[in-house]
C-alpha cells in the first residue's frame, strides 16, 4: 500500500505547481499511468484512467471481452470463460469483463520510475510556461526583488519566484542595489538555454524609459500623446520625441508636468539622467533644431540625399550643442537620423583659418577629432587652453601642444 501512497502524494505535491493549470497536470498524470499500463499489458486501448484532482484519488479500470475457452487470441484484450467465472460466474461469452487495476500490482520499481517521469514532465512543463509567459511580455515593465548580486549580473526574483537576470551591461552606470531591494526593469530578451528559460531584463533599453513615461503620464497611457522615438545614453542623457493627437494638449508640457512633477520621478529612477522632451515634427530643419536643445542654433543647412546637416552656432552655444562627452550631438543625430556637423559662427571669418587648411601639417584623424568637438577653425582651437583641449578631446598632451604651436605660427 505504501507504493500507492507515494505516487498519490507525489500527485498532490505537483498539482499545486505554479504556472501549471489543473487540466494540464491531469493530462500529464494520465499519460504517465498509461505508459505504465502499456509496459505491463502491451496496450492501453481498453483501459480507463480516472484522476480526481481535488483529493488525488486514482482509479484504473481495464475492460476485456469474454471468449469461449480456447478461443482467446490476445489475453490483454480478451479473457476466456473459465477464467472469468473465477471472478464473476454470471458473465457469458461476448460480455465485457471490467476489473480494477491497483497501483500496487505494478510493483515498487515501476511506481518509482513513474514518479520520476512525473517530476521531469512537470518541471519541463513549468519551464515551458515560464518561457511562454515572458516571451509574450518582452518590452513590458516588471518588478522584482534582488536575490543575489554577482560581479557581472544580478539575480532578481519576480512575485512567482521566477529567476530574472539583470546583466551589468543592462544596468545604469550609477545603479547600486543590495539584496532585498525592489527593482524595476523591462523584459529585454527571453531565450531557452539548455532547456531552461533565460530571462534578461534591462534598465538601459529605450523601452524602459517609455514604460516609465506611460506610468507617469496618463495622456500617453490613454493614447492622446504618443512617443515617436527615444534615444538614450544611460545615466547621462536621453531625448524623447513626443506628438499629441489633440491640438489642445501640449505634449511636452504634459510629459514634464507642473514644475516638473511628472518627469522628476522618472529622472530619479534613471539615476539623474537628463531627459530632453521635444515636439516631434516632419519639418527636418526644425526637428534637428529642437533635438540639439538646449543649444540655440543660428542657421542650418541640410543635405537630404546624404542625410547630413551643417549647423551653425554662436561660439558660446557650441559646447551646449555638443554636450558633455559629446552626448547631446550624438543623441540628436540618432533621434533625427541625420549626421550633424557643428560649425562656429565668427564675425571675423576673414581673419580666421579653417582647420582643414592645416591638413599638410596635422594628421587627418586629429583634425576629425577637433571638428568632432566643434573646433573647426584655428582661432576656435587657440581660444582654449591646452588643458581644456586635452579634457575635451581624446588627444595626448604632447599632440595638443604641437597643434597649438602649428596654429600660432599661422598668425605670427
Amino acid at each position: 500500500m505504501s507504493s500507492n501512497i507515494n505516487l498519490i502524494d507525489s500527485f498532490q505535491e505537483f498539482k499545486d505547481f505554479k504556472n501549471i493549470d489543473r487540466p494540464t497536470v491531469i493530462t500529464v498524470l494520465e499519460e504517465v499511468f498509461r505508459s505504465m499500463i502499456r509496459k505491463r499489458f502491451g496496450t492501453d486501448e481498453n483501459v480507463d484512467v480516472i484522476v480526481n484532482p481535488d483529493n488525488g484519488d486514482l482509479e484504473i479500470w481495464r475492460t476485456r471481452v469474454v471468449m469461449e475457452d480456447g478461443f482467446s487470441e490476445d489475453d490483454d484484450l480478451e479473457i476466456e470463460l473459465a477464467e472469468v467465472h473465477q471472478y464473476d460466474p454470471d458473465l457469458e461469452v461476448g460480455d465485457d469483463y471490467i476489473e480494477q487495476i491497483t497501483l500496487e500490482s505494478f510493483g515498487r520499481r515501476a511506481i518509482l520510475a513513474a514518479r520520476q517521469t512525473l517530476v521531469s514532465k512537470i518541471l519541463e512543463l513549468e519551464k515551458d510556461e515560464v518561457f511562454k509567459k515572458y516571451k509574450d511580455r518582452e518590452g513590458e515593465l516588471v518588478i522584482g526583488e534582488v536575490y543575489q548580486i554577482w560581479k557581472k549580473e544580478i539575480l532578481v526574483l519576480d512575485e512567482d519566484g521566477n529567476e530574472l537576470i539583470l546583466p551589468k551591461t543592462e544596468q545604469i552606470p550609477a545603479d547600486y542595489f543590495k539584496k532585498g531591494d525592489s527593482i524595476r526593469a523591462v523584459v529585454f530578451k527571453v531565450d531557452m538555454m539548455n532547456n531552461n528559460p533565460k530571462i534578461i531584463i534591462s534598465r538601459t533599453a529605450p523601452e524602459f524609459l517609455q514604460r516609465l513615461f506611460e506610468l507617469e503620464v496618463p495622456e500617453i497611457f490613454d493614447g492622446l500623446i504618443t512617443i515617436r522615438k527615444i534615444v538614450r545614453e544611460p545615466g547621462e542623457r536621453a531625448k524623447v520625441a513626443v506628438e499629441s493627437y489633440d491640438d489642445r494638449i501640449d505634449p511636452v508640457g504634459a510629459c514634464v508636468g507642473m514644475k516638473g512633477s511628472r518627469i522628476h520621478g522618472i529622472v530619479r529612477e534613471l539615476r539623474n539622467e537628463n531627459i530632453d522632451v521635444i515636439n516631434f515634427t516632419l519639418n527636418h530643419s526644425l526637428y534637428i533644431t529642437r533635438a540639439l536643445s538646449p543649444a540655440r542654433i543660428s542657421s542650418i543647412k541640410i543635405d537630404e540625399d546624404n542625410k547630413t546637416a551643417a549647423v551653425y552656432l554662436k561660439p558660446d552655444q557650441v559646447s551646449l550643442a555638443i554636450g558633455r562627452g559629446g552626448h547631446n550631438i550624438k543623441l540628436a543625430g540618432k533621434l533625427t537620423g541625420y549626421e550633424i556637423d557643428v560649425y562656429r559662427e565668427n564675425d571675423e571669418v576673414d581673419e580666421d583659418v579653417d582647420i582643414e587648411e592645416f591638413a599638410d601639417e596635422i594628421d587627418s584623424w586629429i583634425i576629425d577629432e577637433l571638428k568632432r568637438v566643434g573646433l573647426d577653425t584655428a582661432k576656435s582651437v587657440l581660444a582654449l587652453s591646452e588643458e581644456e583641449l586635452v579634457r575635451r578631446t581624446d588627444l595626448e598632451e604632447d599632440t595638443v601642444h604641437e597643434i597649438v604651436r602649428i596654429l600660432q605660427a599661422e598668425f605670427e
Side-chain angles (χ1 to χ4, degrees), residues 66-75 78-83 93:
V66 178
M67 305 291 291
E68 290 186 9
D69 294 342
F71 282 88
S72 176
E73 297 180 355
D74 188 342
D75 291 340
E78 302 166 342
I79 185 170
E80 295 185 354
L81 192 62
E83 182 183 352
V93 173

Side-chain angles (χ1 to χ4, degrees), residues 180-349:
D181 282 350
S182 179
I183 190 170
R184 291 199 287 184
V186 290
V187 180
F188 182 61
K189 189 178 181 183
V190 182
D191 289 317
M192 268 292 191
M193 297 188 66
N194 300 322
N195 207 33
N196 288 306
K198 185 172 183 180
I199 304 158
I200 304 296
I201 57 177
S202 172
R203 286 172 54 82
T204 63
E207 291 81 4
F208 181 52
L209 179 51
Q210 180 166 343
R211 300 295 168 251
L212 294 177
F213 266 105
E214 289 171 356
L215 285 177
E216 296 290 340
V217 185
E219 291 87 348
I220 293 179
F221 184 81
D222 294 337
L224 298 175
I225 295 175
T226 185
I227 296 177
R228 295 299 298 258
K229 191 171 183 178
I230 295 178
V231 290
R232 291 179 66 193
E233 287 288 334
E236 292 290 342
R237 198 175 202 101
K239 289 186 181 290
V240 183
V242 294
E243 186 177 20
S244 173
Y245 292 121
D246 188 334
D247 293 338
R248 296 169 297 177
I249 298 176
D250 170 22
V252 174
C255 291
V256 174
M258 187 73 69
K259 296 183 179 179
S261 58
R262 289 178 171 178
I263 206 166
H264 280 167
I266 300 174
V267 170
R268 283 195 301 271
E269 179 71 45
L270 300 183
R271 311 303 186 198
N272 295 320
E273 186 172 308
N274 289 314
I275 302 175
D276 297 327
V277 183
I278 66 171
N279 265 315
F280 176 80
T281 176
L282 293 175
N283 182 326
H284 297 163
S285 177
L286 180 58
Y287 194 31
I288 293 171
T289 300
R290 291 172 177 173
L292 283 171
S293 172
R296 295 190 302 274
I297 294 173
S298 300
S299 61
I300 183 170
K301 294 179 181 177
I302 293 180
D303 183 343
E304 293 286 0
D305 294 333
N306 297 311
K307 285 289 182 179
T308 60
V311 176
Y312 297 87
L313 309 97
K314 294 186 181 301
D316 63 339
Q317 296 297 306
V318 172
S319 59
L320 287 175
I322 294 170
R324 188 175 65 179
H327 294 310
N328 197 56
I329 193 169
K330 186 189 301 182
L331 289 176
K334 288 181 180 179
L335 188 71
T336 60
Y338 282 80
E339 183 179 336
I340 302 172
D341 293 317
V342 171
Y343 297 95
R344 181 187 302 266
E345 270 193 347
N346 198 318
D347 295 333
E348 301 175 358
V349 175

Side-chain angles (χ1 to χ4, degrees), residues 49-100:
V49 179
I50 304 170
V51 179
N52 187 327
D54 296 321
N55 56 22
D57 286 345
L58 167 72
E59 293 181 3
I60 302 176
W61 297 93
R62 182 185 182 205
T63 303
R64 288 187 288 173
V65 179
V66 178
M67 305 291 291
E68 290 186 9
D69 294 342
F71 282 88
S72 176
E73 297 180 355
D74 188 342
D75 291 340
D76 291 324
L77 299 174
E78 302 166 342
I79 185 170
E80 295 185 354
L81 192 62
E83 182 183 352
V84 81
H85 278 171
Q86 298 176 21
Y87 312 112
D88 188 345
D90 295 331
L91 291 178
E92 301 294 337
V93 173
D95 291 342
D96 287 337
Y97 170 60
I98 302 173
E99 61 180 325
Q100 185 172 10

